[in-house]
Amino acid sequence: MFDFLKKKKQPENQQDPYAETYFQELQFIDHRKKHWSKQNEEDPLQVVVFWVLIPIFLASISTTIIIIFSMLLE
C-alpha cells in the first residue's frame, strides 16, 4: 500500500518539461530587449532618422493635406 502512494506522489514532484523551456525563452527575450535598447541609444543614424527625418516627413504630409483641403474649400 505504501509503495502505491510513493509511486503516485513521484509524478507530482517532477518538474514540468515545458516550464524550463518557457523560462529560457523569457530570459532570451529579456536579454534581447536589453541589448536592443542599449544599441538604440548609441546609434547616431537611428537618432537622426527618429528625431529629424520622420518629423520632417510628417510635417510635410500635414502641410500638404492642409493645402489640399484649403484649395478644395475655396
Side-chain angles (χ1 to χ4, degrees):
M1 181 171 165
F2 293 109
D3 292 334
F4 177 74
L5 293 175
K6 288 181 183 178
K7 288 181 182 178
K8 187 176 181 182
K9 289 184 180 180
Q10 280 180 345
E12 293 174 4
N13 293 337
Q14 291 179 352
Q15 291 182 346
D16 185 11
Y18 297 107
E20 183 66 27
T21 305
Y22 177 73
F23 182 69
Q24 288 176 354
E25 288 178 2
L26 286 179
Q27 285 182 330
F28 177 75
I29 292 169
D30 189 43
H31 174 71
R32 293 299 295 168
K33 283 181 181 177
K34 288 179 182 176
H35 179 71
W36 188 68
S37 65
K38 184 179 179 183
Q39 183 180 6
N40 285 346
E41 294 172 359
E42 297 174 358
D43 190 9
L45 179 61
Q46 199 167 23
V47 170
V48 169
V49 168
F50 281 120
W51 293 105
V52 176
L53 296 180
I54 292 177
I56 289 174
F57 177 71
L58 294 176
S60 66
I61 290 176
S62 301
T63 306
T64 305
I65 291 172
I66 291 170
I67 291 171
I68 290 172
F69 277 135
S70 66
M71 289 172 54
L72 290 175
L73 295 176
E74 283 184 353

